[in-house]
Amino acid sequence: MNNATHPYQPVFELTRGEIVESIHFGAFAVVDSHGNLLASAGDPQMVTFLRSSAKPFQALPFIERGGHEKFGFTPKEVALMCASHSGTDEHVETIQAMQAKIGVSVADLLCGMHDPIHPATRDAMLLRGEQTTPYRHNCSGKHTGMLAHARLRNLPTENYLDFDHPVQESILQTFAEMCDISAEKVELGIDGCSAPNFAIPLYHAAYGFARLCDPFDLEPNRAAACRVIALSMMAHPEMVAGPDRFDTLLMQVGAGKILAKGGAEGYQAVGVLPGALGIDSPGIGIAIKISDGDTNDRARTGVALSILKSLGALDNAQLIELADYGPTRQLYNYRKLHIGESHPTL
């Protein structure tokens, strides 16, 4: 394979004995808040959908307009606007509190529904005979934020997901500006939750996350909104994902220096706060795409931790806390016999 012309290259492999048994191909870009490409694999200009990694940007124009202050949203509730949450009872109670503040209900959510991601919650609901609702959908916080945005501007709520709805037009424009790309060049698609989603080059997505974490060159109102979102997510990582999930654990271990937001089909975005690598270090954004969709989430987490390790953003003690996710994991069978390992190939 010619990596000069192919967008992906081998980034993660699994061994059995002395043989490489499986290989994940992927690409990534690491960009600082000044726009410098610090590292990459594959083609950093490859266009791909961010999926749920776009959620912090989708919340940004609402925060920028002061919506969180208007409706009295707490940092915990702001974090849930940016979430792919696990559908726990705490997540549902928080969304219900948000909806009470803006005067909408579960009937207004257009995200559809699925069972909770959190196994214990799913089992408890089954035991008590409780049916799932759109509240349990991992994107219900994002959708509640979009409804709040519509309410803030006295806009219709019944069609808040339409591409030409003013809420979605504001989101697209804000997203494009944050990622330093014209809105006309953003490829549009429909996400799993029925909201518009965006495909842009990995470089621009990484740059967007770097600026979200380090908005030094943005106008004051937008910079303040970026800080609200980043600080809310890092203060309440349990809202952004949930128990035993990578984004939550990485932000907990990162202790206010790392922001994380994964997406479906093998996408992972990470932001490193300014000063995390030294007194004058800039913010850094990382955008990763695993080509096969990484349905077991084994490659993107290992690659993300490998990049953070190489940057010096995580020390050995922090990596030990995250050892279940990589970078290198020892593999065992059902009898606990050691059979091989998984590791990045960077």
Side-chain angles (χ1 to χ4, degrees), residues 34 36 53 153 172 192 245 293:
H34 299 280
N36 299 307
S53 293
R153 298 169 60 187
L172 172 59
R245 290 179 62 197

Side-chain angles (χ1 to χ4, degrees), residues 64 177 211 215-227:
E64 198 172 359
E177 290 170 2
R211 299 175 90 193
F216 73 93
D217 62 344
L218 304 181
E219 61 89 14
N221 193 49
R222 176 160 294 176
C226 288
R227 294 187 183 100

Side-chain angles (χ1 to χ4, degrees), residues 75-97:
K76 181 178 180 180
E77 291 167 339
V78 171
L80 195 54
M81 290 176 59
C82 307
S84 298
H85 67 77
S86 295
T88 67
D89 292 346
E90 182 182 13
H91 290 130
V92 171
E93 290 163 3
T94 306
I95 292 167
Q96 289 172 331

Side-chain angles (χ1 to χ4, degrees), residues 62-250:
F62 170 76
I63 301 298
E64 198 172 359
R65 285 178 166 82
H68 60 306
E69 297 171 333
K70 166 74 173 180
F71 293 115
F73 283 176
T74 66
K76 181 178 180 180
E77 291 167 339
V78 171
L80 195 54
M81 290 176 59
C82 307
S84 298
H85 67 77
S86 295
T88 67
D89 292 346
E90 182 182 13
H91 290 130
V92 171
E93 290 163 3
T94 306
I95 292 167
Q96 289 172 331
M98 295 170 68
Q99 293 195 344
K101 293 176 180 179
I102 61 177
V104 300
S105 72
V106 66
D108 295 295
L109 292 172
L110 300 179
C111 53
M113 56 186 173
H114 58 67
D115 289 336
I117 294 172
H118 187 229
T121 298
R122 186 170 61 244
D123 293 346
M125 288 176 62
L126 182 63
L127 287 173
R128 61 181 182 252
E130 179 182 341
Q131 298 296 312
T132 194
T133 74
Y135 281 137
R136 303 285 179 178
H137 193 291
N138 76 94
C139 297
S140 58
K142 176 182 78 174
H143 282 248
T144 296
M146 291 175 175
L147 286 165
H149 187 162
R151 287 286 199 195
L152 178 71
R153 298 169 60 187
N154 296 313
L155 296 168
T157 56
E158 64 273 7
N159 63 334
Y160 70 92
L161 294 184
D162 288 359
F163 280 70
D164 60 355
H165 191 285
V167 165
Q168 299 303 332
E169 291 179 339
S170 295
I171 289 171
L172 172 59
Q173 187 60 41
T174 301
F175 171 77
E177 290 170 2
M178 284 293 296
C179 297
D180 194 31
I181 188 170
S182 69
E184 293 74 19
K185 290 186 178 180
V186 177
E187 296 288 341
L188 299 177
I190 298 174
D191 213 335
C193 67
S194 299
N197 199 242
F198 317 119
I200 60 173
L202 289 168
Y203 166 86
H204 288 277
Y207 185 34
F209 268 86
R211 299 175 90 193
L212 181 68
C213 293
D214 184 14
F216 73 93
D217 62 344
L218 304 181
E219 61 89 14
N221 193 49
R222 176 160 294 176
C226 288
R227 294 187 183 100
V228 167
I229 286 176
L231 292 175
S232 295
M233 291 176 68
M234 291 184 295
H236 296 280
E238 75 286 353
M239 287 291 105
V240 177
D244 301 318
R245 290 179 62 197
F246 180 68
D247 285 347
T248 291
L249 295 173
L250 177 56

Side-chain angles (χ1 to χ4, degrees), residues 300-314:
R300 65 173 175 167
T301 62
V303 171
L305 291 177
S306 179
I307 294 170
L308 289 168
K309 179 182 178 181
S310 67
L311 289 172
L314 293 171

